[in-house]
Amino acid sequence: MALSASEKQEFLAQPHVAAFSVAEPGRGPLTVPVWYAYEPGGKPWITIGPGSRKATALAATGRFSLMVDTVEPRTMYVSVEGPVAESRPSTDDEVRAMAARYLSGAALDGYLEFAFGQLGEHLTVILEPEHWLGADLTM
């Protein structure tokens, strides 16, 4: 059964891992898992490496998709696609907030030490939602 607009937004606001997808010239789309953040009525955002394949493809196309799903306790998915609304260097607070959405305690501390010490600069990329899909396949 199709989800309402508010059901899609509430589902996307939960801390799932998203499938990030962006077109690449001469190939199929690049699709990889990413952490994301979203609040209902807002714009989804991600952080990525500025020299990454994701960043290069985004610079060329200017748009991407995020798809999140779950199979427990019920099978649902939401997909949102649109142009890049903003791309800029991430603040330390954004990197910390994104990681805290998915990790806690010692796992969070260890990841942040790794991210700030080894990964280097991050980009915050904000999506302007244009197209939404979603369904609850359990009903």
Side-chain angles (χ1 to χ4, degrees):
M1 171 173 282
L3 298 174
S4 69
S6 64
E7 289 171 323
K8 290 173 192 169
Q9 291 183 26
E10 288 297 325
F11 184 77
L12 192 65
Q14 297 170 21
H16 302 287
V17 173
F20 166 92
S21 192
V22 61
E24 286 191 294
R27 317 173 62 142
L30 170 63
T31 304
V32 295
V34 296
W35 289 347
Y36 71 94
Y38 175 73
E39 293 183 19
K43 296 177 182 179
W45 60 278
I46 62 172
T47 61
I48 59 175
S52 68
R53 195 167 149 198
K54 294 182 287 289
T56 300
L58 278 173
T61 64
R63 63 187 315 119
F64 66 102
S65 297
L66 295 175
M67 191 283 301
V68 299
D69 66 345
T70 185
V71 295
E72 292 180 13
R74 53 196 227 207
T75 303
M76 295 177 68
Y77 81 92
V78 169
S79 175
V80 60
E81 185 273 340
V84 173
E86 183 181 353
S87 180
R88 58 178 167 65
S90 300
T91 66
D92 287 354
D93 286 344
E94 287 171 330
V95 173
R96 191 173 288 106
M98 183 67 73
R101 210 172 129 80
Y102 295 92
L103 302 170
S104 63
L108 174 60
D109 294 340
Y111 175 79
L112 290 173
E113 183 178 323
F114 169 73
F116 292 133
Q118 304 282 328
L119 295 180
E121 186 180 16
H122 289 70
L123 288 178
T124 292
V125 182
I126 300 170
L127 175 71
E128 183 69 54
E130 282 186 351
H131 305 109
W132 290 79
L133 296 172
D136 183 344
L137 305 175
T138 310
M139 301 178 141

